[in-house]
Amino acid sequence: MGMEKEKSNDEIQEQATTPTALAPTPKTTTTDKDWGLNGRLAFAIAAAALGSSFQHGYNTGVVNAPQQLIEDWIKDLKTNRTGVPTEKTEVTLIWSLAVSIFCVGGMIGGSLVGWVADRFGRKGGLLLNNILVVLTVIFEGSAKAARSYEMIIIGRFLIGINSGLNAGLAPMYLAEISPVHLRGAVGTVYQLVITISILVSQILGLEQILGTTEQWPLLLCLTIVPAIFQICTLPLCPESPKYLLLNRGKDMDAQRALSWLRGTIEVHEEMEEMRTEYESVKLVPKVTLRELFVNPALRIPLFISIMVMFAQQLSGINAVMFFSTKIFRMAQLDKHAAQNATMGVGAMNVFMTIISLVLVEKAGRKTLLLIGFGGMFLDTALLAICLVFAETSRAAAYFSIFLVIMFVVLFATGPGSIPWFLVSELFSQSARPPATSVAIAVNWTANFIVSIGFLPLQEVMGAYVFIIFAVLQLFFTLFIYKKVPETKNKTMEEISSMFRQISYQ
């Protein structure tokens, strides 16, 4: 028994792929490998991802460029209401609330994912979620005309709920419509669209485009465009075949949906796998939130999911992106050059996420996470040192620019995209919705902690604040090395049996 307990995770993973009662031999056929990215699958991916993750990214980045304009408007509005000059600290407090309440909405939306996914389906939930986008546009678009900054705060809260729901529903839908050998690449699309939408929000927020006193309400309202796209395209796509069979017991509907997505009626092997999973799901009672924490076979993957979500947000990516313009100013770049350099960082983020989309199915999830977090640890430690000397040393300032770019490259390699779809890979159909709810709520909570805590810490510690992130990155690198399994090319049954074996040790 003692020797069995000392078996490494790698040995356990190898055992999970060998034929046992718990881990049946996976069916690999020629058709499995032949199923690639066809036109219909690509259309479904675009319909689900563009309309959902675009909201997440766009509304994260859109408030940065017009910040000063909106703060000035709030200051004048408050002064006119009270007849007393408004203090800068009061305006900053109102603006901080408007920005951070987006994360509060995200926490609420994230915690509702499981209920919405089961009640309305993955596709149905995504479509209904656009109601919140319409309400957001009404509130944010009318705020200036109605002379009410409170309407912006309400709008930010509503779009936060929308983004929290999207962060769970879209990766779940993408994971369930993808062939096993494309699951990681398709899952990465969610993060890719986030990076593209952040870059789009930065470009549109330039003074030459919509970053003006008259146009900033329109800038906030453009979030309706991806919602209209999704409302027009997603109804043409089928519901997730797994949801139709495993949650609704509709075998023929599931087969029709799968045939549509694969572009062929030859889907017998994949249907048989789903039917086998359906039979096993029927024997197990519906997974509750309590069951996730009590059952060791579910508690282990839940703990891994929570830690990976914490790792993504506490890596310091939001702090580095926020700090980037200031770092570029330290390197003696003027205001416009610093803004352009920040957009260059955003473009690099998009490019590297595309690279990770290819690498995730070749190198594997665990390898890319280790490279990303291990590299960020070294990068952040060096950045903290360089920033101390950046104001006095030109060389240190320029090296800081290089380190900021490298940080974004390393984040986009794996830590940026993998956590979003890893949760869907670690759980079976019955456990996936509640597990996703917990993981997404944790991600938004960590995001909120960083957005609220970074500025006060930075004022107290200066550049040394990045030492905190370096320590966290080292911890998460060690955790991933020890605990996170490789899920590349593994079926749901193989992954589930692996955790059952670990829980029996």
Side-chain angles (χ1 to χ4, degrees), residues 46 145 162 172 188 200 224 232 259 320 336 365 392 431 456 489 502:
N162 168 275
M172 202 185 297
T188 303
V200 167
I224 193 72
C232 293
S259 296
V320 168
H336 289 295
R365 286 69 156 148
T392 53
N489 288 337
I502 293 171

Side-chain angles (χ1 to χ4, degrees), residues 130-195:
N130 287 300
I131 294 169
L132 291 171
V133 183
V134 175
L135 292 173
T136 297
V137 169
I138 292 169
F139 277 102
E140 293 186 352
S142 309
K144 191 176 181 184
R147 301 183 63 76
S148 168
Y149 62 79
E150 292 88 352
M151 291 177 76
I152 289 183
I153 294 170
I154 294 167
R156 292 283 297 168
F157 177 66
L158 292 172
I159 201 67
I161 297 173
N162 168 275
S163 298
L165 280 164
N166 280 331
L169 293 170
M172 202 185 297
Y173 181 74
L174 293 173
E176 290 178 10
I177 66 172
S178 310
V180 171
H181 64 286
L182 288 179
R183 202 172 52 208
V186 173
T188 303
V189 171
Y190 186 83
Q191 178 66 16
L192 174 62
V193 177
I194 288 178
T195 60

Side-chain angles (χ1 to χ4, degrees), residues 280-288 291 298 430-431:
S280 63
V281 164
K282 283 200 294 187
L283 300 173
V284 181
K286 187 170 167 55
V287 175
T288 62
E291 179 81 4
L298 295 174
S430 56

Side-chain angles (χ1 to χ4, degrees), residues 202-349:
Q202 288 174 334
I203 294 168
L204 292 176
L206 291 172
E207 285 175 39
Q208 306 93 296
I209 306 177
L210 294 177
T212 64
T213 311
E214 296 78 29
Q215 301 278 30
W216 65 257
L218 176 59
L219 180 67
L220 300 181
C221 286
L222 284 178
T223 195
I224 193 72
V225 175
I228 293 168
F229 171 80
Q230 187 171 74
I231 291 165
C232 293
T233 56
L234 196 56
L236 303 174
C237 306
E239 179 56 271
S240 154
K242 281 202 167 188
Y243 172 78
L244 289 171
L245 179 62
L246 278 69
N247 291 65
R248 291 285 178 259
K250 296 179 178 178
D251 191 288
M252 286 307 297
D253 287 353
Q255 189 161 335
R256 274 195 291 270
L258 193 60
S259 296
W260 189 94
L261 290 162
R262 300 293 176 261
T264 175
I265 57 168
E266 297 295 321
V267 293
H268 308 303
E269 287 87 357
E270 202 169 353
M271 278 302 298
E272 280 307 311
E273 277 181 18
M274 288 203 302
R275 285 181 188 124
T276 304
E277 192 177 343
Y278 179 48
E279 292 304 318
S280 63
V281 164
K282 283 200 294 187
L283 300 173
V284 181
K286 187 170 167 55
V287 175
T288 62
L289 204 58
R290 182 179 177 277
E291 179 81 4
L292 282 176
F293 291 94
V294 172
N295 186 337
L298 295 174
R299 189 171 62 232
I300 296 166
L302 182 69
F303 179 59
I304 290 169
S305 301
I306 288 171
M307 289 300 287
V308 171
M309 286 298 190
F310 266 127
Q312 186 196 60
Q313 290 299 334
L314 299 181
S315 65
I317 182 64
N318 290 336
V320 168
M321 293 296 271
F322 174 84
F323 213 61
S324 59
T325 305
K326 187 172 181 181
I327 293 168
F328 298 142
R329 294 300 301 276
M330 282 179 183
Q332 316 303 312
L333 297 179
D334 63 39
K335 183 185 173 184
H336 289 295
Q339 279 183 344
N340 291 335
T342 301
M343 277 191 284
V345 169
M348 179 62 76
N349 197 4

